[in-house]
Amino acid sequence: MTVAVRSVRADAVTLRARMPFRYGIAEMTAMPHVFVRAVVDVAGDRVEGVAADNLPPKWFTKDPTTTYAEDLVELRAAVLAACGRATGSSGATVFDWWLALHRDLVPVGTTARWPPLLAGFAVSLVERAVLDAYCRARDTTLGAAVRDGGLGIRLGAVHPELSGAEPAALLGTPRDRLVLRHTVGLGDPLTAADDPAPVDGGLPRTLVDCVRAYGLTHLKVKLSGDPAADLVRLSRIRAVADEYVGPAFRYTLDGNEQYRSVGPLREFVSALPPELTGPLLFLEQPLHRDVAFDVDLTEWPDRPPVVADESGGTLDALRSAFAAGYAGISHKNCKGVFPGVANACLVAARNAAGERRVLSAEDLTTVGPVSLPQDLAVVATLGIPHVERNGHHYFRGLSGFPDPVAELTLAAHPDLYTRLDDTATLAVRDGTLAVGSVLRAPFGTGLTPDVVDRAGGVPLVDWQPTEVDGR
């Protein structure tokens, strides 16, 4: 089904965190939230589509010598380049259009010395807006569109071994409920003894209070790269889980590229006591992206499952990960919807062949009203059982947007959001998220594209990186 992009605009809203988020070499206290709105002709019908995402510090780029404001100049340039190159583009199918845009922008990113993650992210923002427009034009949902062939997905164009395969034959039924994996950042207080004000703005701050308020069973724990300190902190987290979670406790570790070689990483993992190795689901991106696929993890036979995250900026990243001994890779919408679908299908095919492969679902401090529901729509469509979410933890719900945005979101997603005084926040019940309204919406969000006009943003080209003070 033909698509032609007539115009694309990008706007930005500055969001400020209620508590700092420390991960890897970064500390996030504020960041821009970017909306992209596209006018698209779908088989002759003109419709609008919307997408959104964050530009967090030191994730797309991980250069310790630059400031966050300097990085944001580059991030903004990438998004604007994708919007500009998408305008006037067309394709015989949505998939063919996306693949052409990807192939067009990647060389631009190479010349500009953008990390592969950044070029892929810029493409993904426009990709999501066009997917939203397609679903609205065809009065369908993302789950149906992925499976019914209308998008023209050619899995073999991403993973050659899947040539001729169809997503409908490899993906299961979309999940209407997802287990939430709660992030424990490097600076997050674990107990009241760590934080004299455990409740902030009506939301819990300490891990103990979060577990009790949300009924959490799954955690994602950030590693600092200091093995001794990490072991002490993990033991404290396990003590919280023993007291407040019980035998249902599961967790993942996020290395955030803290290791440069396998030896020290292996020593750290071997030092984990049985009470920490037992509930460990997988270890995410422990090695720096510069060396992550240059190792041979098969030489570490008793390793836990290791998945790539920041190394997943190219279309062949999952195959490179498998070749290096990784169990799999992460999905985030910021890395692209079509790549996520192709990766899910490759993981499913490998598992059907008797291998043990993993596609995880991670977070980019995603928030509503558009980005989070769209991300959950993809996670549910791909059948991933649990997903990291932390935007509701580090930000006070939708309070960074004008009040009407919260009201519209509550009306569109009464199962996913709940009222919090003058705003709305994610509804986490028994450690899970109900995503029925997300699955029924065209592409995740039940709001119309004019939500961008209500969000209080400014044109991205005019937004100034000096508005944020994160490192």
Side-chain angles (χ1 to χ4, degrees):
M1 187 169 295
T2 60
V3 293
V5 180
R6 299 307 179 192
S7 66
V8 187
R9 62 176 265 199
D11 296 275
V13 177
T14 300
L15 299 181
R16 301 196 178 278
R18 72 184 183 102
M19 57 189 291
F21 180 19
R22 286 184 53 216
Y23 56 94
I25 64 171
E27 180 177 278
M28 186 279 296
T29 57
M31 64 182 173
H33 185 79
V34 176
F35 290 93
V36 167
R37 188 172 176 181
V39 178
V40 185
D41 288 346
V42 180
D45 296 329
R46 184 157 295 185
V47 290
E48 287 188 328
V50 65
D53 222 324
N54 298 321
L55 303 182
K58 301 301 177 187
W59 193 80
F60 296 108
T61 62
K62 197 155 285 192
D63 183 352
T65 67
T66 60
T67 66
Y68 182 27
E70 290 170 335
D71 293 342
L72 282 169
V73 172
E74 185 175 59
L75 270 62
R76 180 177 62 181
V79 173
L80 293 174
C83 293
R85 287 181 173 265
T87 300
S89 63
S90 61
T93 67
V94 179
F95 181 88
D96 286 343
W97 165 84
W98 161 78
L99 189 59
L101 180 63
H102 177 85
R103 289 171 173 169
D104 183 36
L105 195 67
V106 165
V108 175
T110 301
T111 300
R113 296 178 181 251
W114 298 338
L117 274 178
L118 180 50
F121 167 69
V123 172
S124 83
L125 266 173
V126 186
E127 171 200 22
R128 283 175 265 167
V130 171
L131 279 168
D132 186 53
Y134 172 88
C135 290
R136 293 177 191 274
R138 306 312 299 166
D139 192 23
T140 191
T141 66
L142 179 72
V146 165
R147 290 167 171 80
D148 66 16
L151 294 171
I153 297 174
R154 293 182 289 111
L155 296 174
V158 180
H159 299 307
E161 71 182 81
L162 296 179
S163 293
E166 296 292 338
L170 292 166
L171 299 177
T173 303
R175 295 176 177 270
D176 61 3
R177 186 169 290 275
L178 303 169
V179 173
L180 181 145
R181 235 177 335 114
H182 175 84
T183 307
V184 185
L186 294 175
D188 287 15
L190 304 183
T191 69
D194 305 319
D195 193 346
V199 176
D200 176 22
L203 295 173
R205 287 169 55 99
T206 70
L207 177 59
V208 168
D209 285 344
C210 286
V211 170
R212 297 173 70 180
Y214 301 133
L216 302 172
T217 58
H218 286 53
L219 304 178
K220 169 171 170 170
V221 181
K222 297 285 186 178
L223 296 177
S224 70
D226 179 340
D230 286 336
L231 285 169
V232 170
R233 186 166 174 80
L234 283 170
S235 294
R236 293 190 64 207
I237 290 170
R238 177 70 222 219
V240 170
D242 285 344
E243 184 170 357
Y244 297 100
V245 180
F249 172 60
R250 299 291 184 273
Y251 78 110
T252 65
L253 289 174
D254 185 1
N256 272 125
E257 305 181 79
Q258 298 283 11
Y259 288 85
R260 286 274 178 176
S261 62
V262 175
L265 171 65
R266 187 171 179 175
E267 290 178 8
F268 166 72
V269 173
S270 67
L272 294 174
E275 61 269 22
L276 288 173
T277 56
L280 178 62
L281 297 173
F282 57 79
L283 174 57
E284 176 194 344
Q285 193 72 41
L287 295 165
H288 194 278
R289 69 187 73 175
D290 290 347
V291 300
F293 293 159
D294 295 332
V295 303
D296 183 2
L297 291 177
T298 62
E299 296 178 353
W300 178 12
D302 58 346
R303 68 191 180 282
V306 184
V307 301
D309 184 41
E310 289 94 334
S311 295
T314 59
L315 297 186
D316 64 352
L318 179 55
R319 285 175 280 128
S320 297
F322 286 161
Y326 288 73
I329 204 165
S330 69
H331 171 77
K332 300 173 178 175
N333 274 3
C334 67
K335 294 197 283 188
V337 176
F338 286 126
V341 171
N343 287 342
C345 289
L346 183 58
V347 165
R350 293 289 188 99
N351 282 335
E355 301 180 19
R356 298 181 63 187
R357 301 302 185 182
V358 176
L359 182 68
S360 73
E362 310 304 327
D363 206 352
L364 198 70
T365 317
T366 311
V367 298
V370 173
S371 178
L372 185 141
Q374 286 188 341
D375 194 88
L376 291 176
V378 178
V379 172
T381 295
L382 301 184
I384 305 173
H386 54 83
V387 56
E388 178 204 8
R389 293 290 88 150
N390 60 52
H392 64 287
H393 180 56
Y394 295 107
F395 294 95
R396 186 175 177 269
L398 299 177
S399 62
F401 304 103
D403 292 348
V405 172
E407 296 302 322
L408 289 169
T409 303
L410 284 166
H413 299 287
D415 54 347
L416 183 62
Y417 279 89
T418 188
R419 187 173 298 281
L420 175 66
D421 298 330
D422 57 340
T423 188
T425 191
L426 206 59
V428 187
R429 300 181 178 93
D430 298 324
T432 66
L433 300 174
V435 294
S437 65
V438 164
L439 292 175
R440 292 189 295 271
F443 175 15
T445 178
L447 281 69
T448 55
D450 63 3
V451 68
V452 176
D453 299 326
R454 303 170 182 267
V458 299
L460 180 60
V461 69
D462 297 327
W463 183 88
Q464 295 301 313
T466 52
E467 290 190 27
V468 300
D469 55 3
R471 295 193 297 274

